[in-house]
Amino acid sequence: MIFNKKRFSELLSRAKGDRSINNFGRISQVDPGYISRLLRCQIDTPPSAAIISKLGSKAHNNVTDIDFMIAAGYIDESSESIQKDNVDEEKDLSRERTEYVIRELVKKYNIDLTDPHDVETLEDLIKIVHRNNQK
């Protein structure tokens, strides 16, 4: 897992749009100071799936949770599951593709489905995948 701070910062800036950091933080329920540090590449570890979900849910300029997940290093950019052949395919995330992404995340990060913290993380990841499906 490689956190691409520069790419994440660029995506976050696009996602913020013309809103202030404080406004974006307020509506996404993410600390504006944390957003500022991410924008200035001062954070060395990727945001959690929960934070990415919050940022992605209020993102502008067609920035998706999946874009954030790739930049954060949670999803491999070359993965078959996230290739974008055209806009229609991107909007039509199939059940099979969703299940594939979830299986890969569980396998890659050794998520223990008997551990409540791991289950919470997986639930955040599922929300991200489903929200991307609705866009």
Side-chain angles (χ1 to χ4, degrees), residues 23-87:
N23 185 30
F24 186 50
R26 183 179 48 75
I27 64 167
S28 64
Q29 299 179 342
V30 176
D31 176 53
Y34 184 65
I35 292 172
S36 176
R37 288 188 298 279
L38 285 167
L39 285 168
R40 292 179 284 135
C41 298
Q42 293 181 331
I43 304 289
D44 292 327
T45 57
S48 68
I51 296 293
I52 288 173
S53 178
K54 289 178 179 184
L55 294 170
S57 71
K58 303 301 179 187
H60 283 182
N61 300 312
N62 298 316
V63 176
T64 68
D65 305 42
I66 299 297
D67 296 326
F68 281 132
M69 294 292 282
I70 292 167
Y74 293 118
I75 298 175
D76 181 11
E77 188 168 19
S78 64
S79 172
E80 244 180 64
S81 66
I82 53 126
Q83 292 299 320
K84 299 175 183 175
D85 292 334
N86 58 50
V87 174

Side-chain angles (χ1 to χ4, degrees), residues 6-34:
K6 185 175 186 322
R7 179 70 182 138
F8 197 92
S9 172
E10 291 166 354
L11 286 168
L12 186 55
S13 181
R14 277 187 31 219
K16 181 179 80 62
D18 61 0
R19 298 170 288 185
S20 70
I21 293 171
N22 285 332
N23 185 30
F24 186 50
R26 183 179 48 75
I27 64 167
S28 64
Q29 299 179 342
V30 176
D31 176 53
Y34 184 65

Side-chain angles (χ1 to χ4, degrees), residues 48-51 53-54 111-128:
S48 68
I51 296 293
S53 178
K54 289 178 179 184
I111 295 174
D112 178 2
L113 298 177
T114 62
D115 181 341
H117 290 16
D118 280 2
V119 170
E120 185 177 319
T121 297
L122 182 59
E123 288 170 352
D124 289 335
L125 295 170
I126 290 168
K127 287 176 191 173
I128 289 169

Side-chain angles (χ1 to χ4, degrees), residues 87-114:
V87 174
D88 291 335
E89 180 182 301
E90 182 180 340
K91 289 181 180 177
D92 186 28
L93 182 63
S94 70
R95 179 184 172 107
E96 290 174 15
R97 186 170 167 209
T98 301
E99 291 172 353
Y100 173 80
V101 170
I102 292 168
R103 272 195 313 275
E104 289 301 305
L105 291 168
V106 168
K107 183 170 52 175
K108 184 173 183 178
Y109 297 104
N110 297 320
I111 295 174
D112 178 2
L113 298 177
T114 62

